[in-house]
Amino acid sequence: MPGPSADPIELSSAERAVLEGWARRRKTAQALALRSRIVLACADGGTNSGVAAELGITRGTVAKWRERFAVDRLEGLSDEARPGAPRKVTDAQVEAVIARTLEEKPPNGDTHWTSRSMARASGLSQSTVSRMWRAFGLKPHLVETWKLSTDPLFVDKVRDVVGVYLDPPEKAIVLCVDEKSQVQALDRTAPVLPLMPGTPQRMTHDYVRHGTTSLFAALDPTSGSVIAQTFRRHRHQEFLRFLKLIDSSVPKGYDLHLVLDNYATHKTPAVKNWLLRHPRFHLHFTPTSASWMNLVERWFAELTTRKLRRSTHRSVVELEADIRRWINAWNKDPKPFVWAKTADEILETLAAYCQRINDSGHYVDYFNHRANGWTYSYHVGTIKLVTLADPGTARIIGSVTRNGAAPAAKEIKFTIFGGDARSSADYPISSFAVTYSNGTDWTSGAMYAGSQRVTVDDTATGHQCVYDLPRISGPDNRLDFDVARPGFGRDGGHCNF
């Protein structure tokens, strides 16, 4: 028995374009794509039975979507609202809970809300509050710690260390050096119970100490390999012995750029004298309270997580041998550590964070890098951007040549730091600038007047000279250099060649 006649389908050019797009686009929901193909086939004159056979569906499905499209056009192909209970929590209630979570403390003196205390305060169920917090990514029970560096050379050191990571010098190896001190040889007071189905490995909370050792490590972030040595003490004598180990382990044809922290043993007179006798060593210090910039700390985390935290040792000798075996296994299949962020990205993130914490007393002042460079300040009050028209400023200008000719563009790098200015809160501040050779001329731009340190780097040869200038002021302080001559053609510099 023949069925009722089908409603004819006629499409406008715009409707056909939309339906063909839905039918072809890979990201379209499959249900909507099928409905689009049904309507297109019907518009081309297909019968319900013919379209059903062509698309492998029932005739009733074709009839349903043909009728829906004939009545509601494109909107008719969307799913209708599902039946169910009406929504009980309004947008206003959600906003009130989220605002209260972010802006208020619990009335009973707790430091943070729990889902149950918020449920009591808002008149909602605990599960409803939990769903709201999950939807907005709120976790009041968690707290993370952080610390801002107060190093007055913070920006200078960030740019130096990041520059070494992202653009290491030619014929040089970058090593991240640090010490993991007070590594304890610990034994549990009862045997460790093994991992079993449904039960994690278990060990006693209390332990017995059998002494400590210190691990000195130098990580090559490019390859991931590590030079390491354990010592029973942690003094500059041990650090010197480790530097000698690095010197003997790395081929003589390479310079060594060490990234390390500001620990006192790294800066003793004995260490400085040894470094002067070994000019292929170049030290790059991280800012204070910024150990995250030293990639060897990430390797120490691997060592702690994968070996030390769950190991037991009954003597320091046993501990040191176990560490050595683990490092040997690591060096057979090392994994590189890749630094991704630029110095500008780090500083911009820090600036945005400091601006959000209004009462912290910390903030970052970005000076015009063509004039003052960058200054990181903390609890210092207002710092004024200076130009040469302001009193109390200075500028260094000069020429730079190589055997009388102009060096290549940006081949000579000038780093200038100093000045004796004070902020509105009477805090001593300095300006910092980095500039490069451009033809035979160079200039520092506007700086704070006062004592200045000028570091000149010849990137073509690796030679460097440092000049300490007494108090200078005004715009016409001149320093001329010929980088092919000893001391770059000047007296009074401290040079590495």
Side-chain angles (χ1 to χ4, degrees):
M1 178 178 178
S5 60
D7 297 327
I9 298 296
E10 295 183 2
L11 299 176
S12 67
S13 59
E15 289 175 329
R16 180 174 290 276
V18 172
L19 290 170
E20 289 176 347
W22 286 349
R24 289 195 306 263
R25 195 159 58 103
R26 293 183 178 181
K27 294 186 178 180
T28 302
Q30 290 304 302
L32 181 58
L34 175 61
R35 297 164 195 172
S36 301
R37 288 192 287 269
I38 291 172
V39 174
L40 288 169
C42 293
D44 292 338
T47 64
N48 289 352
S49 299
V51 173
E54 178 185 349
L55 299 179
I57 55 179
T58 66
R59 191 175 67 173
T61 299
V62 177
K64 171 184 175 181
W65 293 110
R66 176 195 287 267
E67 182 180 352
R68 286 270 293 271
F69 185 83
V71 175
D72 297 321
R73 310 308 292 176
L74 293 174
E75 289 78 4
L77 301 185
S78 301
D79 289 325
E80 295 179 342
R82 304 285 184 182
R87 181 182 175 188
K88 297 180 180 179
V89 179
T90 65
D91 289 344
Q93 288 176 295
V94 174
E95 180 182 2
V97 169
I98 300 304
R100 197 167 188 177
T101 304
L102 295 173
E103 299 173 3
E104 300 180 16
K105 298 291 185 183
N108 61 355
D110 287 354
T111 58
H112 60 278
W113 292 97
T114 65
S115 57
R116 288 176 174 79
S117 64
M118 179 57 75
R120 288 192 297 270
S122 61
L124 302 173
S125 68
Q126 182 263 341
S127 59
T128 298
V129 172
S130 295
R131 286 196 297 272
M132 291 180 185
W133 283 353
R134 282 196 297 272
F136 283 85
L138 296 177
K139 300 177 181 179
H141 63 290
L142 294 182
V143 62
E144 295 181 350
T145 59
W146 53 271
K147 182 176 177 58
L148 289 177
S149 173
T150 58
D151 194 327
L153 296 179
F154 178 82
V155 175
D156 184 9
K157 292 179 178 179
V158 168
R159 292 193 178 280
D160 179 41
V161 173
V162 174
V164 170
Y165 286 152
L166 298 183
D167 188 19
E170 294 183 0
K171 294 184 179 180
I173 295 177
V174 176
L175 295 176
C176 301
V177 177
D178 202 3
E179 305 88 13
K180 186 174 180 64
S181 59
Q182 300 296 309
V183 182
Q184 299 184 83
L186 302 178
D187 189 21
R188 301 292 160 176
T189 56
V192 176
L193 301 180
L195 172 71
M196 298 177 64
T199 304
Q201 183 185 52
R202 291 170 292 170
M203 60 177 58
T204 60
H205 177 74
D206 51 339
Y207 51 82
V208 179
R209 292 190 181 95
H210 293 287
T212 63
T213 188
S214 293
L215 175 64
F216 288 65
L219 167 72
D220 177 4
T222 303
S223 66
S225 59
V226 176
I227 302 170
Q229 182 66 51
T230 55
F231 296 99
R232 299 296 174 87
R233 303 185 69 177
H234 186 196
R235 305 168 301 169
H236 79 272
Q237 291 92 330
E238 285 72 34
F239 182 61
L240 269 176
R241 290 169 61 187
F242 186 60
L243 289 178
K244 294 173 184 176
L245 174 62
I246 295 174
D247 192 32
S248 64
S249 301
V250 179
K252 295 299 181 182
Y254 294 92
D255 277 357
L256 291 168
H257 290 257
L258 309 188
V259 176
L260 66 170
D261 62 22
N262 297 271
Y263 192 57
T265 57
H266 302 160
K267 301 179 179 181
T268 63
V271 171
K272 292 179 179 178
N273 290 334
W274 188 89
L275 292 171
L276 288 174
R277 297 193 302 271
H278 296 78
R280 74 168 179 152
F281 280 77
H282 308 270
L283 304 191
H284 304 264
F285 292 101
T286 61
T288 57
S289 304
S291 60
W292 49 270
M293 294 201 67
N294 195 336
L295 286 174
V296 75
E297 297 287 354
R298 184 64 191 85
W299 181 81
F300 281 149
E302 291 290 314
L303 171 65
T304 300
T305 302
R306 296 164 58 174
K307 165 53 62 177
L308 298 178
R309 183 169 293 151
R310 294 167 62 171
S311 296
T312 59
H313 304 95
R314 296 182 178 180
S315 69
V316 174
V317 173
E318 182 182 343
L319 168 64
E320 292 175 338
D322 202 13
I323 291 174
R324 172 51 55 193
R325 284 192 294 270
W326 189 88
I327 294 174
N328 290 340
W330 171 277
N331 283 334
K332 290 179 181 178
D333 184 25
K335 300 295 187 296
F337 290 73
V338 180
W339 187 273
K341 287 214 170 190
T342 66
D344 284 343
E345 289 172 332
I346 294 171
L347 296 171
E348 288 168 5
T349 300
L350 180 62
Y353 188 75
C354 291
Q355 290 168 2
R356 291 199 303 268
I357 48 177
N358 298 330
D359 299 327
S360 69
H362 293 72
Y363 57 92
V364 174
D365 288 296
Y366 282 94
F367 279 44
N368 182 340
H369 70 282
R370 299 183 188 278
N372 302 75
W374 302 76
T375 295
Y376 171 80
S377 54
Y378 65 103
H379 209 69
V380 299
T382 302
I383 300 177
K384 184 178 184 298
L385 179 65
V386 301
T387 66
L388 288 175
D390 295 324
T393 61
R395 180 182 63 177
I396 306 173
I397 59 175
S399 65
V400 55
T401 59
R402 188 187 302 279
N403 282 326
K410 294 192 174 182
E411 194 169 65
I412 310 302
K413 175 184 175 182
F414 300 90
T415 305
I416 309 97
F417 178 81
D420 301 327
R422 305 190 81 83
S423 70
S424 62
D426 200 35
Y427 190 88
I429 54 175
S430 299
S431 38
F432 168 76
V434 176
T435 188
Y436 293 86
S437 58
N438 183 14
T440 59
D441 297 320
W442 76 279
T443 176
S444 68
M447 306 283 292
Y448 293 121
S451 301
Q452 305 282 349
R453 168 165 288 189
V454 181
T455 302
V456 186
D457 289 282
D458 183 350
T459 62
T461 63
H463 293 168
Q464 180 189 83
C465 287
V466 179
Y467 303 90
D468 288 315
L469 305 183
R471 293 186 57 84
I472 62 172
S473 62
D476 299 317
N477 304 279
R478 190 167 187 88
L479 283 179
D480 299 321
F481 300 98
D482 188 327
V483 295
R485 298 175 58 191
F488 291 161
R490 299 194 63 87
D491 296 328
H494 303 280
C495 303
N496 65 357
F497 64 98

